Amino acid sequence: MKPFLLTRFLIALFGLLQVISVTAQDELEQTKYAIVIDYQYDDALDFASNGLAAVKKDGKWGYIDKTGEVVVSPQYDKAENFSDNGLAAVMIVTKIAEGKDYRWGYINKTGRTIIDFQYDETLGFQNGLAGVKKGNKWGFIDEIGNLVINYQYEEVKDFTMNGLAAVKVSSSWGYINKNGTIIICVCYEIAESFSENGLAFVKGWDSHKRNYEGNYIDQTGKVVIRSGIANSYFDIGKSFAVNGLAAVEGILDRWGYIDETGETAIGCSYPKVWQFSGNGLALIKGWDMDSYEYINSTGKVVIELYKVDEARPFTNDGLAAVKKYGKWGFIDKTGNYVINNQYDDALNFHNGFAGVKKDGKWGYIYIGKPSDLISHFVQNRIEEWQQKGEFESPDAYLQRVTEDGRQKKADELTTVAVQKIAPDYCNWENLSATYDATITNQMFEVKVQGLLPFYVKVPNNGEAPAFKEALSRLQFTNVQYALNKDEQFFITKATIYNPDNYKKYRCQSSGVFEKKNIIPNFQPLDIQVAVENTQQVTTTEKNINIGLSDVDINIPENPQTNDKTFVVIIANENYLHETPVQYATNDGEVFRQYCEKTLGIPASHIRFNKDATFGTMRSEIRWACDIMEAFSGQAKVIFYYAGHGMPNTKDNSAYLLPSDGSSSDFEVAVKLCDLYSRLSSVPSQGVTVILDACFSGATRDNGILASVRSIGIVPDTEEPTGNMVVLSATTGNETASPYTEKRHGLFTYFLLKKLQETGGKVDYKTLSDYIIRNVTQQSAIDKNITKQTPVVNVSNDIRNSWGMWNFLK
């Protein structure tokens, strides 16, 4: 690739190619794959589900994203792939004395150490637990590093979806549950992990037959498939695939497959087999030294490979790696090579990417849609951009990170991504040009492999022949790319320089290019020149939308009318004398929409107050009381508040702070116990108070209220009275944190999320348990969120019945 193409990494405008009238344009097929991350690594692993891959450079391991950007700098002596829970095991050498002393720990995708370096060996997390080894024994930890099953096993395997893990004790294998209780006896010589169909292969001593026998058991330990029945003798068995077949080894070390009833599906006649892949094909080793085959579930050979060094199973991307004449390439499910054998080593394709090695260095090729890669680039950087800087003031942050600001930034990043990614799909060494010498046109159609044709106006006064002669030496600068709806890249702008005659040209945004073919009509010397049909090349901009939070869209709608429920919403984000409360307005507005759409509450029954003053808050509380009185105890009231809470250090009482209030003036604030007393003084069907606030003196942006001397104050718990349930965002001296990624308070986000998932059909006990669990876990995982534990307080009158309350009943 020419050096001038390095300009592709510069930020450029994302323009649209205007219409070019063409008479007979041959459509150039888009390159099917691209080397999107250059060869530069000493070693590499697959991309994990979170979009990161471990790579080794200069002797250390780190992590990159799908565009090759370094996310976690190389600093570890060994690294494993990320598990689905977002944690990866990494190793560091702590000292070198009489050999290497090393320890394993776990990090998140930002490189933050979540579980300290303390283990001799580790497994990845599966179903919430990970096997870890200290000394000579293995145990299991949870996702925050708590030891949940003691170190006592010689070997362990991962927990499977049925909640069981194979463990080895005193040279025998058995199965335990997540409490460490032995569920299936420790009595097997071999024990495989359970398949998704609930069966696992085991091999142990049969006292009746007085020999070692292999069987498949269920999760109670009952033998479901016994070797030797239905003419399906097997000595070794593997896991069942999604198509219900499992590979087994029969007599004479030959392999075949059985189904879930134990019947022989494909006879044991192969020297080696692999599990069936998602595309329904299984790889088998042929009896010829250099032959491999892929068979379907009936045993029919679908692909035959001869004279190959090695082959691998198909992945979910529909490709399989094949090594031939010492080089690796990839075939599709028809057996055709889609990527020729050219790599010294290769990993399998996962999520569109495969690691490949050339000349001692690893890079990555990509075979997915360019728009997916662009979207990934934009989304990752938007998430980084919208994080609050350490030294960025709350006011500056709120002014910068708005919906309009996010969209503008997304558009800018889309432009950058296109300019960065497009050249990977182009081969500028494969360049050709055809000239239209029509006097009114005088234009070249230029083709580059991987791009749609573009057009250059060159006068036919000697410049055109010189242009064609210098084609391989032309210099292209200021190249700007775009992507159309058919996933094809094209050029919107470029400057072309001919070093032979020092002439400069530009790509044409409009014009006419004609191709003329000379066609004999079978009469001697009678030649007709026919003009082919004009074809227009129309391109459109590919929009990549960066949306709102997932709870802000797809709000469920309930047709029932909840006409006996009334709602007061106070969303205090902007204060005259205190720092803003991030996302409080969005909290209140979206909760209002859920009340109306999901809970079926008439709009006239909902009072939404943004930045409510002291007078407004008192008026709204009075309105709620008047409503309950007017309905003679048959009404329900929901009181929602998002904003600052504050403590009174003199009597340890708690207050809600109006937008015109100050943390130094308790006269202009709503005392929490007074609020409870007012709302419970009138008979009702029930009062629900929802508080996304804390009362420790802290603010959502990890600051402190102006007149509070220190945070960490623990106000007295205000006990509700009457027919009242209170859902609060925090316990004690904790902070009610923002969930920046979702643009909501952490507590409100999970309240809305549960209403979205259930359509509002959820009882209070289930709702509160869900909020408490998820807020607690997210605050433990996210380094930007301090510890937060929501709490439920109920009055004594309803202590035994509140859990059955429901917004819709």
Side-chain angles (χ1 to χ4, degrees):
M1 188 171 292
K2 298 184 179 181
F4 57 80
L5 288 178
L6 293 175
T7 56
R8 70 181 188 261
F9 296 104
L10 300 176
I11 298 177
L13 297 176
F14 191 128
L16 290 177
L17 185 65
Q18 298 178 18
V19 175
I20 299 177
S21 177
V22 184
T23 58
Q25 178 177 304
D26 297 328
E27 195 165 315
L28 185 64
E29 184 179 1
Q30 190 78 28
T31 304
K32 292 185 179 299
Y33 70 97
I35 175 72
V36 292
I37 300 175
D38 289 335
Y39 305 102
Q40 56 184 297
Y41 303 109
D42 304 323
D43 206 346
L45 299 181
D46 295 323
F47 275 95
S49 59
N50 69 346
L52 302 185
V55 291
K56 185 179 182 181
K57 193 170 187 178
D58 299 328
K60 294 292 184 180
W61 286 84
Y63 293 87
I64 60 174
D65 69 13
K66 291 181 177 180
T67 61
E69 294 291 327
V70 176
V71 177
V72 180
S73 61
Q75 57 191 285
Y76 305 107
D77 295 289
K78 197 169 183 180
E80 301 293 345
N81 275 335
F82 277 90
S83 301
D84 288 342
N85 70 343
L87 299 182
V90 292
M91 183 264 280
I92 58 174
V93 175
T94 56
K95 64 180 180 180
I96 300 179
E98 297 180 0
K100 292 184 178 181
D101 187 0
Y102 57 86
R103 291 291 181 267
W104 287 85
Y106 292 86
I107 62 171
N108 66 11
K109 70 176 184 179
T110 67
R112 177 189 174 198
T113 300
I114 302 299
I115 302 174
D116 289 336
F117 295 88
Q118 55 186 296
Y119 307 110
D120 297 321
E121 292 184 51
T122 58
L123 299 178
F125 276 92
Q126 292 290 335
N127 297 294
L129 298 181
V132 291
K133 185 179 182 182
K134 279 190 176 182
N136 296 322
K137 297 296 182 181
W138 286 82
F140 288 88
I141 59 173
D142 63 18
E143 294 176 342
I144 58 176
N146 294 323
L147 182 66
V148 295
I149 301 177
N150 289 329
Y151 304 103
Q152 54 189 299
Y153 307 111
E154 297 165 11
E155 293 182 52
V156 298
K157 297 181 180 180
D158 292 325
F159 275 94
T160 52
M161 294 183 67
N162 68 350
L164 299 183
V167 295
K168 189 176 184 181
V169 180
S170 300
S171 300
S172 294
W173 287 88
Y175 296 87
I176 61 172
N177 65 14
K178 289 186 176 181
N179 296 322
T181 303
I182 297 175
I183 302 300
I184 301 175
C185 69
V186 180
C187 56
Y188 300 109
E189 177 189 11
I190 297 174
E192 300 290 346
S193 295
F194 277 89
S195 305
E196 290 186 11
N197 66 354
L199 301 182
F201 175 81
V202 295
K203 185 176 182 180
W205 178 257
D206 189 314
S207 58
H208 298 291
K209 295 183 178 181
R210 301 192 63 77
N211 66 355
Y212 283 96
E213 184 177 70
N215 301 301
Y216 283 87
I217 60 173
D218 65 17
Q219 59 190 25
T220 68
K222 178 184 176 182
V223 175
V224 177
I225 300 174
R226 188 179 298 276
S227 176
I229 65 169
N231 298 318
S232 62
Y233 170 80
F234 50 85
D235 189 52
I236 297 293
K238 299 299 182 181
S239 299
F240 278 89
V242 293
N243 68 346
L245 300 185
V248 293
E249 183 187 41
I251 60 174
L252 301 177
D253 298 329
R254 296 185 179 185
W255 286 82
Y257 298 87
I258 63 172
D259 63 22
E260 294 176 342
T261 68
E263 292 281 353
T264 298
I266 301 173
C268 294
S269 58
Y270 304 106
K272 188 176 182 180
V273 302
W274 284 261
Q275 189 182 53
F276 275 88
S277 304
N279 69 344
L281 299 181
L283 173 67
I284 63 173
K285 181 71 176 71
W287 284 104
D288 292 337
M289 183 178 297
D290 56 1
S291 69
Y292 288 84
E293 297 174 349
Y294 293 88
I295 61 174
N296 63 21
S297 58
T298 68
K300 179 182 177 181
V301 176
V302 177
I303 301 172
E304 295 180 274
L305 299 175
Y306 294 103
K307 297 186 181 303
V308 297
D309 306 326
E310 192 176 342
R312 295 189 187 137
F314 279 91
T315 65
N316 290 336
D317 291 72
L319 300 179
V322 175
K323 185 179 182 183
K324 190 171 185 177
Y325 304 129
K327 297 291 184 181
W328 286 91
F330 295 88
I331 62 172
D332 62 19
K333 62 183 180 181
T334 67
N336 294 321
Y337 278 93
V338 294
I339 301 176
N340 291 331
N341 299 90
Q342 56 186 292
Y343 306 111
D344 301 327
D345 201 352
L347 304 176
N348 291 327
F349 268 97
H350 289 287
N351 301 312
F353 286 82
V356 290
K357 186 178 182 181
K358 273 189 176 182
D359 301 325
K361 293 295 183 182
W362 286 85
Y364 289 88
I365 55 177
Y366 178 66
I367 204 166
K369 295 179 179 179
S371 60
D372 291 340
L373 199 58
I374 293 168
S375 179
H376 176 86
F377 179 97
V378 174
Q379 188 63 50
N380 273 10
R381 282 150 187 79
I382 278 288
E383 290 176 3
E384 295 174 5
W385 173 81
Q386 68 187 20
Q387 297 295 319
K388 181 180 178 297
E390 180 181 1
F391 303 104
E392 184 178 23
S393 70
D395 288 342
Y397 176 81
L398 291 172
Q399 185 176 3
R400 177 174 67 87
V401 183
T402 62
E403 283 303 321
D404 289 342
R406 279 164 50 85
Q407 188 58 59
K408 181 179 179 182
K409 189 64 179 178
D411 293 340
E412 293 174 359
L413 289 170
T414 299
T415 300
V416 175
V418 171
Q419 309 316 312
K420 177 179 174 63
I421 293 167
D424 295 327
Y425 285 82
C426 310
N427 180 8
W428 283 82
E429 301 299 330
N430 191 339
L431 191 68
S432 63
T434 304
Y435 193 64
D436 174 11
T438 305
I439 294 176
T440 56
N441 297 343
Q442 299 188 27
M443 182 183 295
F444 273 103
E445 178 190 60
V446 183
K447 291 182 179 180
V448 175
Q449 184 180 7
L451 286 175
L452 291 173
F454 58 92
Y455 300 87
V456 183
K457 192 88 170 179
V458 182
N460 193 12
N461 58 1
E463 289 186 38
F467 186 95
K468 186 69 174 281
E469 175 66 25
L471 191 62
S472 62
R473 299 185 297 278
L474 295 177
Q475 298 175 11
F476 292 78
T477 57
N478 301 319
V479 181
Q480 295 183 13
Y481 302 90
L483 183 70
N484 71 13
K485 63 181 180 181
D486 295 320
E487 301 286 338
Q488 296 172 306
F489 285 107
F490 59 92
I491 289 180
T492 64
K493 180 181 178 182
T495 300
I496 303 105
Y497 175 70
N498 185 349
D500 292 359
N501 59 8
Y502 312 110
K503 297 290 185 179
K504 285 186 178 181
Y505 308 95
R506 297 185 184 277
C507 290
Q508 294 296 300
S509 59
S510 62
V512 176
F513 180 86
E514 296 179 344
K515 292 182 178 178
K516 299 180 178 66
N517 296 323
I518 300 175
I519 304 175
N521 69 350
F522 302 108
Q523 294 183 10
L525 303 179
D526 186 2
I527 298 175
Q528 294 185 357
V529 179
V531 179
E532 297 294 319
N533 293 333
T534 299
Q535 181 186 18
Q536 292 186 339
V537 178
T538 304
T539 64
T540 59
E541 183 174 351
K542 177 76 173 182
N543 293 323
I544 299 174
N545 297 319
I546 305 298
L548 301 172
S549 170
D550 55 329
V551 296
D552 295 352
I553 59 178
N554 300 322
I555 298 175
E557 296 193 21
N558 194 333
Q560 80 177 68
T561 301
N562 203 346
D563 59 358
K564 294 293 179 63
T565 301
F566 298 82
V567 184
V568 173
I569 299 173
I570 307 292
N572 287 349
E573 179 166 331
N574 301 297
Y575 283 80
L576 293 177
H577 309 293
E578 304 290 346
T579 60
V581 178
Q582 292 173 294
Y583 314 128
T585 300
N586 196 39
D587 286 342
E589 170 56 26
V590 178
F591 181 70
R592 181 195 66 77
Q593 294 181 43
Y594 274 86
C595 287
E596 183 177 346
K597 296 178 180 179
T598 307
L599 305 185
I601 302 170
S604 60
H605 290 201
I606 303 171
R607 304 284 284 264
F608 174 69
N609 300 271
K610 174 183 174 183
D611 300 335
T613 63
F614 178 62
T616 299
M617 290 181 67
R618 290 185 61 184
S619 175
E620 292 302 298
I621 295 169
R622 183 167 54 250
W623 175 79
C625 294
D626 291 344
I627 286 292
M628 288 186 284
E629 186 173 2
F631 276 74
S632 303
Q634 298 303 307
K636 291 195 296 185
V637 166
I638 300 172
F639 183 94
Y640 173 93
Y641 176 83
H644 282 313
M646 65 179 187
N648 186 336
T649 56
K650 293 182 179 180
D651 60 2
N652 262 19
S653 57
Y655 290 76
L656 304 181
L657 186 61
S659 64
D660 58 347
S662 168
S663 56
S664 63
D665 187 359
F666 296 98
E667 294 295 322
V668 188
V670 176
K671 195 171 186 179
L672 205 55
C673 64
D674 291 343
L675 172 67
Y676 293 170
S677 177
R678 289 287 307 278
L679 294 177
S680 61
S681 65
V682 184
S684 69
Q685 288 294 311
V687 175
T688 302
V689 178
I690 302 172
L691 302 175
D692 196 347
C694 65
F695 304 92
S696 62
T699 63
R700 276 194 184 182
D701 60 354
N702 295 320
I704 184 172
L705 293 173
S707 300
V708 177
R709 292 172 181 263
S710 65
I711 61 173
I713 300 169
V714 182
D716 291 339
T717 301
E718 305 292 356
E719 295 295 335
T721 58
N723 204 12
M724 182 180 295
V725 175
V726 179
L727 302 175
S728 298
T730 62
T731 302
N733 63 351
E734 295 175 346
T735 301
S737 299
Y739 195 175
T740 305
E741 179 184 346
K742 304 297 185 180
R743 302 184 68 81
H744 280 288
L746 181 63
F747 170 84
T748 293
Y749 170 77
F750 284 109
L751 164 67
L752 299 174
K753 187 65 176 176
K754 194 61 176 177
L755 292 178
Q756 184 186 55
E757 291 177 352
T758 62
K761 299 175 182 179
V762 57
D763 61 78
Y764 276 26
K765 182 65 167 61
T766 302
L767 174 65
S768 60
D769 287 348
Y770 173 89
I771 295 172
I772 293 170
R773 180 175 64 256
N774 282 278
V775 170
T776 302
Q777 291 176 352
Q778 187 63 33
S779 66
I781 293 171
D782 194 332
K783 68 177 182 179
N784 297 314
I785 300 177
T786 58
K787 180 182 178 183
Q788 184 175 338
T789 311
V791 65
V792 181
N793 290 320
V794 299
S795 61
N796 288 328
D797 295 348
I798 58 169
R799 194 161 299 278
N800 296 325
S801 61
W802 71 274
M804 295 181 289
W805 282 20
N806 190 307
F807 287 116
L808 298 177
K809 295 181 180 179

